[in-house]
Amino acid sequence: MGISDLIASFLQEGLEEAKDGVLEVQRSDLAQRFNCVPSQINYVMSTRFSPERGYIVESRRGGNGYIRITRVQVDRQTLMMHVINSLGASVDLASARAILSNLVSAGALDESLGRTFLAAVGDKALASVPRENRDRVRADILKQVLILQV
C-alpha cells in the first residue's frame, strides 16, 4: 500500500467517524504524520476526494492552514445528473472507471450494470475507433447510458 493509499484511508476513516460528515485536518499535521511533503497531501485531495467522487474540499494554506472535507449526500437522480453534466467532451478510460466505480459505491448503479457500462466504454469495445477519437466516443457513450438510468 502506497503513501497516497494510507493517507486516503486515514482520511476516509476520519470521515466515517465524523458525526456531521465533515472532517477538518491540518495539512502540516498530515504531512508530518505520514512523513511526506504537503504536495503529497494535495495530490490525495485532488485524486481521491474530488467532486466527481462525491466530496467538497475546502482548503486554506499557510501556517494555520486546514483542509475541510465534506461528503456530499445527494439522492440518486441528483447524483446521476451531476455526473452527466460534469462529463466533458472526452473521458479517458481511467476517469470512466472511477466515475462508474463511484456510482456503484454510492448505490446509484448496481455492480453488474457498472461492469457492463465499463465494458461498453472500454478500449476493447472501442478498438475499431481510432485512438485519437476514443475518449470523445467514450464520453458520448457514457453520457447516453447514464441518461437512460435517470
Side-chain angles (χ1 to χ4, degrees), residues 44-139:
V44 172
M45 291 298 118
S46 65
T47 60
R48 310 289 176 88
F49 296 93
S50 64
E52 296 79 27
R53 292 181 178 254
Y55 298 94
I56 296 172
V57 177
E58 301 170 70
S59 177
R60 191 179 88 203
R61 297 183 187 267
N64 290 326
Y66 64 86
I67 300 169
R68 182 179 299 129
I69 307 168
T70 305
R71 177 82 173 144
V72 179
Q73 300 294 328
V74 295
D75 62 83
R76 179 185 181 278
Q77 185 173 2
T78 302
L79 175 60
M80 295 293 279
M81 289 307 299
H82 171 73
V83 169
I84 292 164
N85 290 329
S86 69
L87 287 172
S90 69
V91 175
D92 64 20
L93 183 57
S95 296
R97 184 178 290 116
I99 289 165
L100 292 168
S101 174
N102 292 332
L103 289 172
V104 168
S105 295
L109 287 179
D110 90 7
E111 191 171 344
S112 173
L113 197 53
R115 283 195 311 267
T116 301
F117 288 175
L118 185 57
V121 299
D123 283 339
K124 285 184 181 177
L126 301 176
S128 64
V129 176
R131 195 171 293 282
E132 63 272 9
N133 295 335
R134 284 186 192 168
D135 291 348
R136 288 195 315 272
V137 172
R138 188 182 338 270

